[in-house]
Amino acid sequence: MTRPAFIIHDLEQARAAAAVAEELGQPILLLTPVDMAAALGTLWTQELARHLRRVFPGASILVMFDCGDRAALAHEALRAGAEGVCFTGPADQTEGLAEVAAALGRTFLAHRPAALGLAGISPKRRIAAAKAWISNPEHARNVDSGGFPEKSSKH
């Protein structure tokens, strides 16, 4: 399953990406900004996911918590019920976190995906930008296998 990724800072950005996903019938990945993951908290991502699924029932959305290289934050997020985490820390910690995620039935990524950052795009242009991002197969990656490049591209 391919899921173009979006970095979202707030509800309006997430709603724009979800609306496009529903309209185009394309599954998407919503990712917290790595520098805001601890501040937002796992509960925020869980509530965001529930809200988006209520408002956009036809959209396939995976909301992930980007923990950067903070293993304790990734472990806490998984235990608290995050749908998935992205962890870019050392390989020895990655293996253990991947096992925890698998045991809990959660998605785990060891590389930050190429993602469209919606914060820098004006609200009037977000829908068009999200459509362009989703429509470009070069940006779509296979989330289920973790087949992402290590570098994130923010637009």
Side-chain angles (χ1 to χ4, degrees), residues 52-63:
L52 293 173
R53 289 188 180 107
R54 266 191 322 270
V55 176
F56 304 99
S60 175
I61 301 165
L62 175 61
V63 179

Side-chain angles (χ1 to χ4, degrees), residues 32-45 65-68 70 72-74 76-77:
T32 64
V34 68
D35 55 340
M36 289 179 57
L40 291 173
T42 306
L43 183 58
W44 183 82
T45 60
F65 201 67
D66 191 332
C67 301
R70 297 173 63 186
L73 182 60
E76 179 184 325

Side-chain angles (χ1 to χ4, degrees), residues 28-109:
I28 62 168
L29 167 65
L30 299 180
L31 193 62
T32 64
V34 68
D35 55 340
M36 289 179 57
L40 291 173
T42 306
L43 183 58
W44 183 82
T45 60
Q46 291 169 322
E47 288 301 315
L48 175 69
R50 279 192 279 278
H51 170 79
L52 293 173
R53 289 188 180 107
R54 266 191 322 270
V55 176
F56 304 99
S60 175
I61 301 165
L62 175 61
V63 179
M64 292 191 73
F65 201 67
D66 191 332
C67 301
D69 62 358
R70 297 173 63 186
L73 182 60
H75 189 263
E76 179 184 325
L78 289 167
R79 292 285 182 193
E83 293 181 11
V85 297
C86 178
F87 174 73
T88 57
D92 60 327
Q93 294 174 334
T94 299
E95 186 176 314
L97 288 169
E99 289 174 7
V100 170
L104 295 171
R106 312 276 197 260
T107 302
F108 181 84
L109 295 178

